[in-house]
Structures are given as structure tokens and as C-alpha cells.
Amino acid sequence: IDKLSRVGRDNYSVGMLFNAWLLEDEQVFRGMQDLEIQTSENFSPDAMAWPLVPPAGYQAPLSRCTGPAGVLSNASMFGIQSSLLQHVVQEALNAPVSIEEYLNYVQGQARFQFKPCRACSS
């Protein structure tokens, strides 16, 4: 949600958010989380708007406690547990991103040849 906000998206589908979640899990957490999405048989996650879009300028707690040298010592003030930090690729936090490439990825378009939601089968 943080990165979608940073690239200027103020509305997105459940499928787009899931694709962003998969990307961030791989880049920031080395794929240490098991992520899945389930829908009813006649429903596609790219057809449902994500209802919990934060206000402009939102920054996730992990992003807020990151400086040029990595995660700051005050991470616990933002609710970040030290046990989580061992799985974080600090260079990936707040790294510059190509807006076009990022949006193509999370929208499941272009050269990536993904469906609108990569985890969905049709």
C-alpha cells in the first residue's frame, strides 16, 4: 500500500494489491511469507476495488523507520519487532522504483505476461 501510494495510485483492485504484496514479499522479505488469495468461483480479484486506501502521503511503519543507513534503532517505536528485521532486505526499503515498470508488474500487464492477478486461475 505504501509503494502504491508513492507511485500515485489512489485506487486499485484487490488483485493489484495482491500482486504488489507478492513483489514486496520477494524483494523486502526474501519470500519468507506464505501468501495466497482465495475468491469465489465466479469472482476475480481484479474486479473488486480495495476499500482501505489510506490518505495521500501514507507511509508504512517499516518505511518510516528506515534511513540511509538502514532500519533506525527506534523501529520498536513504530511497532516493528526486532525478530522481523532479520528477514528484511534493508537495501530494498525505500529503494527508488520505476513507476511504469512497477505499475505494469502489479497490474499484470505488458512484458510480464501475467494475468490481472498472478495468483488466480481462470
Side-chain angles (χ1 to χ4, degrees):
I1 292 175
D2 179 296
K3 193 171 282 183
L4 285 168
S5 179
R6 281 192 279 148
V7 298
R9 293 305 301 240
D10 59 359
N11 62 63
Y12 34 87
S13 70
V14 171
M16 182 185 291
L17 178 58
F18 186 73
N19 287 344
W21 188 19
L22 290 172
L23 180 62
E24 294 304 308
D25 177 51
E26 188 61 38
Q27 292 179 343
V28 177
F29 298 103
R30 298 181 190 103
M32 296 298 293
Q33 303 174 80
D34 294 322
L35 311 173
E36 68 178 63
I37 190 170
Q38 297 179 353
T39 64
S40 64
E41 185 176 313
N42 296 320
F43 183 75
S44 178
D46 63 314
M48 178 181 181
W50 177 253
L52 305 173
V53 178
Y58 170 78
Q59 197 175 14
L62 192 55
S63 295
R64 284 189 282 156
C65 67
T66 304
V71 177
L72 305 174
S73 59
N74 66 346
S76 62
M77 290 177 49
F78 295 97
I80 308 299
Q81 297 179 1
S82 58
S83 59
L84 169 75
L85 297 177
Q86 67 185 353
H87 302 291
V88 172
V89 178
Q90 295 192 21
E91 302 80 41
L93 294 172
N94 298 325
V97 61
S98 161
I99 294 172
E100 182 178 336
E101 186 173 319
Y102 182 77
L103 289 176
N104 282 338
Y105 183 87
V106 299
Q107 291 172 345
Q109 297 177 351
R111 63 186 175 171
F112 298 107
Q113 298 177 356
F114 292 137
K115 296 178 184 178
C117 177
R118 295 183 299 136
C120 306
S121 58
S122 45

